[in-house]
Amino acid sequence: MRAQDSATAARTIAVTATGDSGTDHGIRAGSAPTAGIRTGDVTARSATLATDTTGPIDTTDLAGAVNPTDAADATGSRPDPLPRGTLLAGLGVVAFSLTFPSTVWGLESFGPWSLVAVRSTLAALVAGAFLLVGRVPLPERRHWAGLAVVAGGVVIGFPLLTTLALQTSTTSHAAVVVGLLPLTTAAFAAVRTGRRPSRTFWFAAVSGAVVVIVFTLQQSGGAVSRGDLYLFGALLVCAAGYTEGGRLARLMPGWQVIGWALILCLPLMAAGSAVALTLEPVRLNAHGVIGLAWVAVGSTFFGLYVWYRGMAAIGIPKASQLQLAQPLLTLFWSVFLLGETLPLAAPIAAVAVLVCIAVTQRAQS
């Protein structure tokens, strides 16, 4: 029980449970446990909470005893009996797969610095409206450092570096290079959270990454350009932001994680928008406006919202492996939206990557 509960009047919690002996056990808040209830021996059927003073009882500390499956495991990821977490993370991947084509469209109307600053400013305004309507309180002081990592990685760093890269790299080339993000994220997660995924997990993850690398080199001729350096830098900062955001999404709703990260960047991005728009030419057209709208609302806010919720449900390493499909999805959008030619090797790579994803989702992490 929390410390504040111990200062209130005694409260009785009646737990009706059926164990080996078939007896009922009573727990009095603030008193020593009686009868030695073991969670392995008890199947909880119902719990009736009765208070003799006003105010609810905090039953967080009893979650493991009443229903162990409701509590997060020691590593921080929650059990996912339903595919809800996987579906949310997958929806985030679909949103992210449209980012590069939308950025190319946005660059038709805006300069790279203007596009990044304006997209972040618009996304922060949308997030701020949701936070205000929901009357969400400020995060605790201990969460602000993590939010700063999210802001630097996924709000500023990744959009800026990839936008600069797309000035010289094709969308398909950039998409496949960023296919290394799952391994980078898994490595950051292992260091940050202390988790050690199984050998099967790592074998499948590395295999998927190898497929992505081979596909990239086969299509680009193995040349390393300044755009590639931007992309490799984007991998590092984005993996750090994803890892920290996934951790925070277990402590607060995912939309609040990205929402507060965007608000944290709002003063800088608003000032950057004012300066960049005066220095870079603006040529508005339909593609440019649609591209800006998507990267601001679709990728930056909605995509990260469902992505962080998915990571909180199934764990950072498993969720990150779903991104192995992102380069191939982006290739499809590049053909459909930008008219780029789809490489013949793409279907083979797609099948191989999907197999790797299936293995990582089944492997114990």
Side-chain angles (χ1 to χ4, degrees):
M1 304 295 288
R2 298 185 305 180
Q4 66 184 42
D5 293 333
S6 62
T8 62
R11 299 167 179 173
T12 301
I13 303 175
V15 179
T16 301
T18 303
D20 295 336
S21 62
T23 61
D24 295 340
H25 303 276
I27 303 175
R28 177 170 295 276
S31 63
T34 60
I37 299 178
R38 294 181 301 171
T39 59
D41 298 334
V42 178
T43 302
R45 297 185 181 275
S46 63
T48 304
L49 304 181
T51 66
D52 48 15
T53 61
T54 59
I57 292 180
D58 185 352
T59 59
T60 303
D61 296 336
L62 297 178
V66 176
N67 190 358
T69 61
D70 288 341
D73 60 22
T75 61
S77 64
R78 296 179 181 277
D80 189 33
L82 299 176
R84 181 169 176 267
T86 301
L87 290 175
L88 287 172
L91 188 58
V93 170
V94 174
F96 297 152
S97 70
L98 283 161
T99 300
F100 286 172
S102 299
T103 300
V104 172
W105 275 8
L107 287 172
E108 293 182 14
S109 296
F110 302 93
W113 295 91
S114 300
L115 182 61
V116 172
V118 173
R119 70 179 276 185
S120 298
T121 301
L122 292 177
L125 293 176
V126 173
F130 276 88
L131 292 170
L132 284 175
V133 171
R135 297 182 179 180
V136 179
L138 288 172
E140 298 178 23
R141 180 180 299 179
R142 62 192 178 96
H143 295 328
W144 282 109
L147 290 171
V149 174
V150 176
V154 303
V155 176
I156 299 177
F158 185 79
L160 177 60
L161 292 172
T162 53
T163 300
L164 293 173
L166 286 171
Q167 289 189 295
T168 57
S169 300
T170 64
T171 301
S172 57
H173 178 79
V176 186
V177 172
V178 175
L180 295 175
L181 186 57
L183 265 184
T184 312
T185 303
F188 268 86
V191 174
R192 180 67 178 86
T193 65
R195 300 186 66 182
R196 294 297 182 268
S198 65
R199 292 182 179 179
T200 302
F201 177 93
W202 281 115
F203 177 78
V206 171
S207 298
V210 168
V211 170
V212 171
I213 293 173
V214 170
F215 182 79
T216 303
L217 296 177
Q218 190 264 335
Q219 295 300 313
S220 65
V224 178
S225 63
R226 183 175 62 180
D228 290 322
L229 296 179
Y230 284 138
L231 292 171
F232 290 137
L235 287 175
L236 296 177
V237 298
C238 190
Y242 279 173
T243 301
E244 198 63 21
R247 183 188 68 84
L248 289 172
R250 296 194 296 269
L251 305 175
M252 65 179 75
W255 71 274
Q256 293 183 20
V257 173
I258 185 57
W260 288 117
L262 286 165
I263 295 298
L264 193 62
C265 295
L266 180 57
L268 177 63
M269 292 294 99
S273 298
V275 173
L277 288 172
T278 60
L279 298 177
E280 294 179 336
V282 177
R283 300 175 295 272
L284 293 180
N285 59 31
H287 279 177
V289 173
I290 294 173
L292 172 62
W294 180 258
V295 294
V297 180
S299 299
T300 305
F301 183 72
F302 172 76
L304 288 172
Y305 162 63
V306 295
W307 173 246
Y308 284 144
R309 288 197 64 181
M311 280 201 297
I314 64 177
I316 296 171
K318 281 190 176 182
S320 69
Q321 300 314 305
L322 290 174
Q323 284 196 307
L324 288 171
Q326 183 175 327
L328 302 174
L329 288 173
T330 301
L331 288 176
F332 170 78
W333 296 123
S334 299
V335 173
F336 185 73
L337 298 176
L338 305 178
E340 295 184 7
T341 302
L342 181 67
L344 295 177
I348 298 175
V351 172
V353 168
L354 290 176
V355 169
C356 293
I357 292 175
V359 173
T360 59
Q361 292 301 296
R362 292 179 179 274
Q364 180 181 1
S365 59

